[in-house]
Amino acid sequence: MNPQLIDRIYECAFLPDLWPGVLDELAKMADARGGWLFTANFNAGILHWTASERSRAIMERFIGSDLLSRGQRFPRLVSARHGGFLTEHDIYTDEELDADPIYRDFLRPDGLGWAAATALPLPTGDMLVIAVEREYARGPVESGIVQQLDALRPHLARGALLAARMHLERARIVSETLGQIGLPALVFNHDGVVLAANALVEGLTNHVRWRAGDRISLTDPTADGLFRQAVATLDAQSAPPTRSFGVRGAHAAAALVAHVIPIRGDARDIFAHCAGILVLTPVALPNAPPVELVQSLFDLTAAEARVARSLVAGDTVGDIAQGGGVSVNTVRAQVRGVLEKTGCRRQTEVVALLGGIAVAAR
């Protein structure tokens, strides 16, 4: 047992950048080419991953393929529910191994083909998989090596659990901080499961319904559809930095503005899959709000914000075109942009929505 390696495993809970070095140590222990780690939801695929330097290139190719869904390696590893590392001969017959596309089409052509791997459930509901990949010519991973890896597995499990819980606590702090400045908010993962919510959002029972499995829906069907679409497309390259739309209450009057904000870059890590934040901005007095407020609430362009405010003030499309020195068709295009970004279907809905936004900022 290497006490320095165990220390580094626990340090990874606080410094995820250390994982490639730890994985490289595990690979050396197994006389393997390299090691990798990923978290996955087998309905959504691989979520986040890291690898030792020598395994990074092949892992990138694996992530870009459809092998996770085609092959049997990971479903078998998870379904085995084994509290340790497993090798191929623990979960395959020789015939099954030869036929699996992960080995037949991917690992063996690259000179690999033997591994030791383990699966660990996380409190986020996802699965953590750690593996070391050995050259095919070297032969299967021996039982003595598996025993050495098994001795480290409790530390790997505790380190992963510590990291996951620490980052879930970070999600809670984010939602509570937004609550302290008066904003109902919740943090959700890639699957729409709520990881943390503040008391303000929990009190919006006329607008937010809590569902089984820690999921929510919005009582406004149009807004709920927009929310689900935003969650499903958070990681799309073409996704906007923020999606904003109106949320109507029980009496079909605009009462809230929803902002779906993706969490990207360094804010996401391997263990805590905080995909985004839902912030619900309360609305209040019937008044035409300032252009800057309209623009910031709904991510409108400056022209769209002016058009939206003019509609609230009672101007027609013709009035707006004449006052702005642009064509009616230009204004109509801007109105369509306003409708799309606010989640409204008609101009009257835009007027009702924006007419309810407080103008305290004036």
Side-chain angles (χ1 to χ4, degrees), residues 149-217:
L149 293 171
D150 281 348
L152 288 171
R153 188 181 185 272
H155 302 290
L156 293 166
R158 285 193 288 269
L161 182 65
L162 175 62
R165 293 202 177 279
M166 182 177 66
H167 291 287
L168 286 174
E169 175 65 12
R170 187 176 298 171
R172 186 192 66 79
I173 291 172
V174 169
S175 67
E176 293 298 329
T177 300
L178 289 169
Q180 288 173 10
I181 62 175
L183 293 176
L186 55 84
V187 181
F188 58 87
N189 71 5
H190 59 277
D191 226 9
V193 174
V194 176
L195 302 176
N198 61 32
L200 294 179
V201 78
E202 290 177 346
L204 295 176
T205 55
N206 287 331
H207 306 86
V208 179
R209 288 198 183 103
W210 289 87
R211 303 296 188 186
D214 292 325
R215 288 176 170 82
I216 62 127
S217 63

Side-chain angles (χ1 to χ4, degrees), residues 48 235 262-270 272 274-275:
H48 299 285
D235 288 331
I263 298 175
R264 293 176 177 151
D266 292 339
R268 298 177 75 165
D269 81 0
I270 296 166
C274 305

Side-chain angles (χ1 to χ4, degrees), residues 57 290 299:
D299 311 311

Side-chain angles (χ1 to χ4, degrees), residues 88-155:
E88 283 79 8
H89 288 147
D90 293 316
I91 54 177
Y92 287 100
T93 65
D94 288 338
E95 293 77 14
E96 291 170 337
L97 188 59
D98 291 340
D100 192 299
I102 291 178
Y103 291 86
R104 183 192 64 213
D105 304 334
F106 188 75
L107 292 174
R108 290 180 178 176
D110 199 73
L112 297 168
W114 301 112
T118 189
L120 302 160
L122 295 174
T124 56
D126 301 316
M127 191 66 64
L128 168 68
V129 177
I130 300 174
V132 291
E133 301 288 341
R134 180 184 274 189
E135 303 283 348
Y136 186 73
R138 174 66 177 77
V141 177
E142 298 84 357
S143 60
I145 299 296
V146 172
Q147 290 174 9
Q148 293 181 50
L149 293 171
D150 281 348
L152 288 171
R153 188 181 185 272
H155 302 290

